[in-house]
């Protein structure tokens, strides 16, 4: 899936949700895709999302569990 096919606002929404678990993540700057996921650059570092989570945020965000969000938050790396 090319970068332009991902709903950027779903990524931004995920970052907002993740800030509950890690306020250091920062704001969306850009993203790039790779085989199974998305690397999101933020104002404070980068974080990795599975593509499936981005699409789930777009289609049915209530189905993303707290555990999934915590797991994603743990991938954050400060710049």
């Amino acid at each position: 899936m090319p970068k332009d096919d991902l709903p950027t606002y779903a990524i931004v929404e995920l970052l907002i949700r993740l800030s509950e678990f890690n306020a250091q993540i920062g704001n969306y700057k850009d993203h790039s895709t790779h085989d199974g996921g998305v690397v999101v650059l933020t104002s404070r570092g980068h974080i990795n999302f599975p593509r499936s989570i981005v699409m789930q945020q777009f289609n049915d965000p209530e189905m993303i569990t707290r555990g999934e969000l915590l797991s994603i938050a743990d991938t954050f790396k400060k710049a």
Side-chain angles (χ1 to χ4, degrees), residues 8-22:
T8 302
Y9 68 88
I11 295 170
V12 173
E13 289 172 347
L14 280 166
L15 290 174
I16 292 167
R17 293 179 71 182
L18 292 171
S19 69
E20 175 184 337
F21 307 109
N22 184 343

Side-chain angles (χ1 to χ4, degrees), residues 12-59:
V12 173
E13 289 172 347
L14 280 166
L15 290 174
I16 292 167
R17 293 179 71 182
L18 292 171
S19 69
E20 175 184 337
F21 307 109
N22 184 343
Q24 297 300 310
I25 290 173
N27 299 313
Y28 176 88
K29 288 180 76 175
D30 196 12
H31 71 275
S32 60
T33 60
H34 55 86
D35 290 337
V38 183
V39 176
V40 179
L41 300 177
T42 73
S43 56
R44 296 186 177 165
H46 69 276
I47 191 165
N48 296 304
F49 293 154
R51 287 179 199 235
S52 60
I53 291 291
V54 175
M55 294 312 297
Q56 191 169 6
Q57 177 66 32
F58 177 72
N59 292 314

